[in-house]
Each structure stands twice: as C-alpha cells, then as structure tokens.
Amino acid sequence: MNNNDKPSSSSNANRTLPKEDSPLLGHSDHLSSTPKTFANVFIAIVGAGVLGLPYTFMQTGWITGFLMIFVVAGVVYRGMMLLIQTRKKLESPLSYSKINSFGDLGFAVCGPIGRLSVDIMIIASQAGFCVGYLIFISNTLANLFHTTGNESRNYLKASGYIMGMKAKTFYVWSCFPFQLGLNAIPTLTLLAPLSIFADIVDLGAMSVVMVEDVMVMLKNTMNVRAFGSFSMFCYGLGVALFSFEGVGMALPLESEAKDKKKFGSILYWAMMFIATMYGLFGVLGYFAFGENTRDIVTANMGKGLLSCLVQLGLCVNLFFTFPLMMHPVYEVMERRYWEGRYCLWMRWALVMMVSLVALFVPNFTDFLSLVGSSTCCILGLVLPALFHYIAFKNDLSKEELMWDLGMIVLGVILGVLGTWFSLIQILF
C-alpha cells in the first residue's frame, strides 16, 4: 500500500474494492513456505461436509463412495490448476495485470457476464454452507438434549419441544440474534483466527470419531453394501463436491506461495492426502454403524462426556465460522449494489434468509448434496474449464480441447442430475 500511488478518487475506489478472496486469506506481505502452503490448501479445502460422508457412503455403497472421493479430488484439482493456467495466460497483457480472485478471472475472460456468473455461484455456495451449519447445530443440539423419536440418549431428558416449538426450530432462532451481532462486524480482523480454530476442532472431532468407529467395529459386524444405485451415485457426488470446498481459493493460494513452480505438486499431494482422509473417514463410519448411520455421523457416537464435548465443540466451531463464510456474500453484494460500502440491513436480511431456509431442510447431508450439485459443480468443473477453453481456444491441442469440453459437459450433466436427485431426497 504505497501512499505515493496515484491519489485519484477512482484509484482509491479500485484499491479498496472488495474481492471474494479477501475474507478467506486476505493479503499477506509474506509469501508462504512449502509446509505453510500445504497447510493453507488444507484449511481452504476441508470443511464440515466431511461429517456427512459416512451417511453418503451408506447411500452409494462403500466401494463406490471411496472411488468417488478420489475422482472428485482429481477433477477439483484439475479445475484449480486450470484457473491458475488461465491467469498466467491473461496476466501477460498489461490490461489484465491484476487477477487476484475467481471473480477477477471471470471478468478478464468474459467481461461483466463472467464476473456475474462467479458472483452468483459464490453467493449460492457460501450461503448454502451456512444453511448447512445451522442445520448441523440445531439437529445436533436437539439430538443431544431432547427426545427425538425413539432416541433415549439425550442428556437433559427433555421433550422434543421448547416453548411450543420443535427443538430444532428453537435452536435455529436462538442462534439468530447472536449471528446478527457477529455478522454486523465490518472487518474479519477479529474473526480470522477462528478459521484456524475451526480446522483444529474439525481434525480433533474426526480423530475422535474414527477411533470410536474402530472400537465399534471391533465389537460388532455390520452388513454393508459395496455399490448403490445410479441416482445415489449422483447424490453422493454432490456431497463429495461440497466436501472439497475452496475451489475459488486456488488463485490467492498460488499467489501466496513462495515457490510457485512447486505449487502444482503441493496442491496435488494435499488433495490426495485430503481424499485419503475423507475416504477412510467415510468407510470407517459406514462399517461401524451400517444402515444405522445417521446423516451427521457424530449423532451415532455413544453416550459420554467425550462424545458430548466433541459435538458441542463442532457446534461452537460452526457457529463462529458462519460469519466467516458469509463475508464473501456480503462483499459481492456490497460491491454490486452499495458501491463497496458497508450495509448493515442487507447483512441482517441475508442472515434471516439463511435461517429460514435452515428451518425447512431436515437432513444435513441431503442439503450438502443439493448445494454441492447445484453450485460446487459449476464452480469446480464448469467455469474453470470454460474460462480455460476461452482463454486458450487457439492454442489447445485436440486432446486438451476434449478434456475442457468433456469437463464442461460432465459438470452440467452431473449438476442437473445431482440437483434433481437431491431435491427428491429432501422433498420425498
């Protein structure tokens, strides 16, 4: 930030214009070493979607699910690398010397329609993540503290209703006023450390759940299916795509890497590590609980202080991650409709909309599949391949051309089918 740059009002506006990458990584003066780059990739990719993988493996079959995770990891990796290659191609002309984010790349390739396409998908996916968080929090607390159906493992021995409302509805509205306060914070300076805390809690919870899965497996043998139906495969792809969130972070992650030549290999090994971890987590959860696997695997955990603390820790984690994930939405909306200026009532209206959607979706994993199919398919497969094709169309070999077009077509087909089957699961 040099004060001797051109001091015109237009220059200042451009310099402070919100970007969709800024809430997640911000702009660092220090480049990341190889271990830190690996850690940054891990933090950007891993999210709450992993908690729905055992239930997904129950639906798809464990072999199908395990292979599906690696296929999705490979496709998402290619999508992220296509974004980086496209930026390198376009940054050589002086007119596109600053491409910091997915939206900037969309504008460089397709103009306003490109940025609009990315912005719409970012709004839908980030808000969708937050809806999933509220579903997780409300369902988990209701499961822990209130009688739900024939469950008797709740800790308060309370009924399924509070003040005349279903327990889930009560907990969603209980979060609402606090989220209004958190989402009113105009800067992420105070909230940024929570992203590190979120991933530490996620890893800790995954470790505890996997240990308990192994202990349950040693005591009981469950009947499990290796393969599922085609409709369930499409459903599972949506959850898998949701689990590999953070595709739009490829450009800022690569910008922060000290050794950019090694970034591709670092990203590859990080994706393979995450895919292996996801696959083991999904398989162990399904093998431990079989057809009794719940949509949120922590709901299968046995009664005890450790189980309760893990589930409460995840709820606290997602509660504070909510405003972090909503910030890209706010910045896109404020850039488009308020000239980049802070707008409190718009933020509160969006929190209200997210809360209302969470009330009407009963199943955590069903909603993950819907968001993954409808938005992550576009962000992870279609747009990276489309932007790459437009930027390189005169330089592509026949093989590269077929890869790009195939990825676009595959993304559209999987997005449509996955969205359809997810809606069927939710509505029927």
Side-chain angles (χ1 to χ4, degrees):
M1 297 183 181
N2 294 328
N3 294 327
N4 56 1
D5 288 343
K6 290 182 288 186
S8 67
S9 59
S10 61
S11 174
N12 291 336
N14 289 334
R15 189 166 61 249
T16 59
L17 193 67
K19 306 288 186 184
E20 50 267 32
D21 65 310
S22 57
L24 298 172
L25 284 182
H27 300 286
S28 174
D29 296 329
H30 305 285
L31 296 179
S32 301
S33 62
T34 296
K36 188 176 179 182
T37 299
F38 186 96
N40 284 341
V41 172
F42 186 88
I43 290 171
I45 296 295
V46 175
V50 65
L51 299 173
L53 287 177
Y55 179 85
T56 303
F57 280 29
M58 181 189 74
Q59 300 282 20
T60 63
W62 70 272
I63 291 180
T64 302
F66 193 83
L67 294 176
M68 176 186 67
I69 286 293
F70 281 89
V71 170
V72 169
V75 173
V76 170
Y77 166 77
R78 185 172 193 273
M80 295 175 81
M81 291 306 298
L82 289 180
L83 293 177
I84 293 169
Q85 293 170 18
T86 305
R87 174 169 68 179
K88 289 179 179 178
K89 168 80 171 180
L90 296 175
E91 277 188 335
S92 52
L94 295 177
S95 55
Y96 296 126
S97 57
K98 294 271 187 176
I99 299 177
N100 297 315
S101 68
F102 204 158
D104 292 343
L105 185 65
F107 183 81
V109 174
C110 300
I113 189 65
R115 184 181 283 280
L116 177 63
S117 299
V118 174
D119 285 351
I120 290 174
M121 289 298 104
I122 284 177
I123 290 172
S125 62
Q126 297 294 124
F129 296 154
C130 292
V131 170
Y133 294 168
L134 288 181
I135 295 171
F136 178 92
I137 292 169
S138 58
N139 283 354
T140 298
L141 294 179
N143 179 68
L144 278 176
F145 302 130
H146 301 272
T147 301
T148 54
N150 56 8
E151 292 283 341
S152 59
R153 53 184 292 276
N154 62 87
Y155 290 83
L156 296 184
K157 303 296 182 185
S159 70
Y161 286 82
I162 308 173
M163 299 173 62
M165 292 183 286
K166 288 184 177 180
K168 173 189 172 180
T169 303
F170 175 82
Y171 286 121
V172 170
W173 287 124
S174 296
C175 292
F176 181 69
F178 298 100
Q179 286 299 340
L180 291 181
L182 287 172
N183 285 267
I185 298 174
T187 175
L188 284 176
T189 303
L190 298 176
L191 292 175
L194 294 174
S195 63
I196 305 284
F197 169 75
D199 282 279
I200 292 173
V201 172
D202 279 342
L203 282 173
M206 287 176 63
S207 300
V208 172
V209 172
M210 290 173 75
V211 169
E212 180 151 335
D213 289 344
V214 172
M215 293 175 65
V216 171
M217 287 169 57
L218 293 176
K219 295 178 181 178
N220 305 303
T221 301
M222 293 289 180
N223 293 324
V224 294
R225 289 179 294 113
F227 303 97
S229 65
F230 176 73
S231 63
M232 287 298 99
F233 171 72
C234 294
Y235 170 94
L237 280 173
V239 180
L241 284 164
F242 185 106
S243 301
F244 285 94
E245 61 185 66
V247 174
M249 295 303 299
L251 300 180
L253 284 169
E254 196 257 355
S255 294
E256 284 202 347
K258 182 182 295 184
D259 192 343
K260 292 177 173 50
K261 291 182 179 180
K262 290 184 178 179
F263 181 79
S265 61
I266 295 171
L267 179 62
Y268 172 82
W269 288 112
M271 294 295 284
M272 289 302 100
F273 174 76
I274 293 169
T276 302
M277 183 179 68
Y278 278 4
L280 289 174
F281 187 81
V283 168
L284 287 175
Y286 179 34
F287 272 54
F289 304 107
E291 296 302 312
N292 296 319
T293 305
R294 303 282 294 274
D295 62 313
I296 303 172
V297 72
T298 51
N300 285 109
M301 295 180 69
K303 203 170 182 180
L305 179 61
L306 181 60
S307 170
C308 182
L309 290 176
V310 166
Q311 294 180 70
L312 289 176
L314 285 168
C315 289
V316 172
N317 158 18
L318 296 183
F319 180 84
F320 286 108
T321 305
F322 186 109
L324 286 168
M325 299 304 285
M326 284 298 290
H327 253 74
V329 178
Y330 302 147
E331 293 189 337
V332 168
M333 295 291 287
E334 288 169 352
R335 184 187 64 224
R336 285 194 165 274
Y337 301 109
W338 284 272
E339 299 179 346
R341 289 180 283 112
Y342 174 84
C343 181
L344 179 62
W345 72 263
M346 180 274 298
R347 292 179 177 224
W348 283 4
L350 288 171
V351 173
M352 169 68 80
M353 291 175 60
V354 167
S355 300
L356 288 173
V357 174
L359 288 174
F360 296 104
V361 182
N363 188 290
F364 176 69
T365 309
D366 289 351
F367 190 77
L368 301 195
S369 178
L370 177 62
V371 174
S373 299
S374 60
T375 63
C376 298
C377 244
I378 306 299
L379 282 173
L381 279 70
V382 177
L383 292 182
L386 178 62
F387 291 166
H388 184 264
Y389 167 73
I390 294 173
F392 286 89
K393 59 184 175 183
N394 296 324
D395 305 317
L396 293 175
S397 65
K398 287 185 178 180
E399 183 180 353
E400 291 171 328
L401 177 64
M402 293 303 296
W403 271 108
D404 280 355
L405 294 179
M407 197 165 165
I408 294 170
V409 173
L410 179 66
V412 171
I413 292 174
L414 292 178
V416 171
L417 291 176
T419 301
W420 173 254
F421 291 125
S422 299
L423 286 172
I424 290 176
Q425 286 287 112
I426 291 173
L427 299 175
F428 306 101

